[in-house]
Amino acid sequence: MPNIENRVRKLAKPSNHAQGLQPLFEAISNAFYAIEDRFEAKAGSEGLVRVTIRNLGHNDMLKIDVADNGIGLDQARFEAFCVIDTDFKRLKGGKGVGRLFWLDAFSDVVVRSSYIEKMQLVPRTFRFQLGNEDQIQNQAADIPTLLMSEPGVSISFSGLRIKAYQDHFPKRADTFLRYFSAHFIADFLVGAGPKVVVDIDGDITEFPKVISELVEGPAMETGQFETDDFGILEIKAFACDPSASTGLDGNHQLHLLGNGRTVESRKIDGLLGIAGIKAGEKEGLFFHACVSGEYLNDRVNEGRTAFNLSEKTLKELTRQCVEVVKSKLLLDQVEEYKIARRERFEDFISRHPIYGFEDTETQLSRVPFNATQPEDFAAGLVKYQIRKDEARQDAMEKVIATLEGVEDVPANFAETVVSAAKNLQDAERLSLAQHVVRRKLVLELMEKLIRRIKVQEGKPDGFHLEKTLHSFIVPMSVQGSEGLTPQSRDHDLWIVDERLAFTRGFASDVRLNKILKEGGTADRPDLLVWDVAYGLGAVDPNDKKGGVDVSEPLRKVMIVEFKRPGRRDYQKAEDQVEQQITKYLLQLKEGEVEAFGRERVRIAPDCIFYCYVVADIIGDLKTQLSSWKTTANRQGRLRMLEGEFQGSIEVIQWTDLVNDAWSRNQASLHAAGLRRR
């Protein structure tokens, strides 16, 4: 005698809504089978299943009736019902254990049936209960009106028995309908399912009507096709409104059928690639494909909840089916998608040349088929980039080791060196291209910023404030020597001077009394660069002094002031350019700035100050600078510092600042195949 209580206790317990509904879905699937047994080819047109739900959301009061007009529980079928692990429905994939889920989920199960015997309608009623003995408790016939005129079965479920089902049985009608539709969508799509009327507390929904309304255009069929690993398969597919995928994981779906019933649905968004498919004039539809075949029929588990296949096998089966779909059912749309995807990838490479280390087709084959965004391309290619970099570095190290070794140099060593050098040159070319592309974008944006593009509501369009441009070139209120401040490394000071590309010895919009160890006022130069004497150079982040010999005084210092583009009014005393710069110099001369590691760096008495003012020379400023010398291009203004200060003040127009930066990068742009817009 089988231990039914133990069998039920060991059944997998639900962890989501789909699994929480599995016992009810088993009853509905049985109703489908019973209708097929009675009506055969006419099951879709003659069959009817009514699912009536009351008190949804109230676990103890929940009542569900599943009634069908199928063949009914005649003697043979009743005897099969009484036997666990019956072979009665094996040809249809039934294992005879689905009803054990009823005992696990529901507190009370009553089965009522009518069947034809000797040309008469015979009733049968019994309670199905959990226990190792007498699970079938026959009762006096209590036949619903539905079963009084024709055969059928009505199963009444009451209350949810255990916490796992109480937690994961849907509490809302819309949730229930989403999961019901998702589970049986393939049955309704392929036309195998009968009419199903779902009544949830008085609200009626009819299937397959609601599903058929979601389908656009005719069905798409592959016909039978043979695979090496999975035998002969067949796919019937549909273009559906996006709501058809509600409740499913993913948009496009591959429904794997076992014996005509959905066993598992797998999302194929990544494999299919296309965001939405077209049917006639409608776009943005989701693809639902139903796959059937003997291979799947023979591998359904006993609960008809999954296939007895490894995940690896299911993934490969899915992949092969999607390839057939793309070649037979969606060829034109896939080709159109491939062209658009390639264009996006080539645009990605133009912006991020370091990923162009192989030809386009090779690189595209390395990323997921649905990859269309820059981050998706990069994520798919980065591991190949790392492998290539590692291989290149290993090759160079081997060349160096050979040269340093005592053994004779091999005969083919020259070829090895040439190959290693070429690989290194290729890498350098890609890195340069990446660097230049970024600089090109920076300069193009800079050009936009200095034009009259700022929209002001109720006023004429104005220029951006100087702080906008200042922040674009270098973050404000940041001191580069503060190594723990992330912004201290994020700047584009090369726009001002190429030697500043990697400097950290600067202060941006920082008060002089904070920059200087002693003295100083609250005045804030827009930009003060104090390591000019040391090449304005790249510093070692592991060196607390930043690679600067603090015992030597600073003999060159750069000061930069930014003025708003288009500004014309400079009438106030503090607006006098020379006066403003002199005020800074008086505080800096022979002072001490705070360097890396809080070290002091003296400013030499004979320090040369390179002072720049970036502004449009118009209006009051043009008058103010009328006595100054013009620069070589005759657009800027220049005045040498006199008296106790050495150096110069140069006024550079915004346009010239950007043009000079373009000129300095022209050779690199040309080498990378780029040009200024």
Side-chain angles (χ1 to χ4, degrees), residues 9-82:
R9 185 167 55 253
K10 290 182 177 180
L11 289 174
K13 300 302 184 268
S15 59
N16 54 48
H17 286 324
Q19 294 170 359
L21 285 166
Q22 188 59 40
L24 181 59
F25 290 164
E26 284 292 327
I28 296 170
S29 291
N30 288 344
F32 286 4
Y33 289 133
I35 288 170
E36 289 173 0
D37 284 347
R38 180 184 177 191
F39 295 108
E40 297 180 344
K42 295 182 179 181
S45 59
E46 301 292 335
L48 174 64
V49 179
R50 292 185 181 274
V51 180
T52 305
I53 302 174
R54 295 292 180 263
N55 305 316
L56 183 63
H58 302 279
N59 295 331
D60 295 336
M61 301 169 59
L62 179 67
K63 293 185 180 299
I64 303 175
D65 288 322
V66 179
D68 66 72
N69 64 344
I71 200 166
L73 277 177
D74 57 20
Q75 191 60 29
R77 288 173 174 79
F78 177 66
E79 290 175 0
F81 186 97
C82 295

Side-chain angles (χ1 to χ4, degrees), residues 454-461:
K454 184 180 179 184
V455 177
Q456 302 179 101
E457 188 174 350
K459 300 178 182 179
D461 292 353

Side-chain angles (χ1 to χ4, degrees), residues 128-149:
F128 185 43
Q129 61 187 23
L130 179 60
N132 288 331
E133 296 181 359
D134 301 325
Q135 295 98 20
I136 307 298
Q137 294 286 326
N138 290 317
Q139 295 185 336
D142 177 17
I143 303 301
T145 304
L146 176 69
L147 305 178
M148 294 177 65
S149 58

Side-chain angles (χ1 to χ4, degrees), residues 17 57 61 103 127 199 280 290 306 314 321 328 352 367 417 433 500 544 550 638 652 657:
H17 286 324
M61 301 169 59
L103 299 177
R127 175 169 272 102
D199 176 350
C290 305
L314 285 168
C321 287
K328 289 192 173 185
H352 306 277
V367 299
V417 172
L500 301 180
K544 71 174 184 176
V550 296
L638 180 67
I652 304 171
L657 180 75

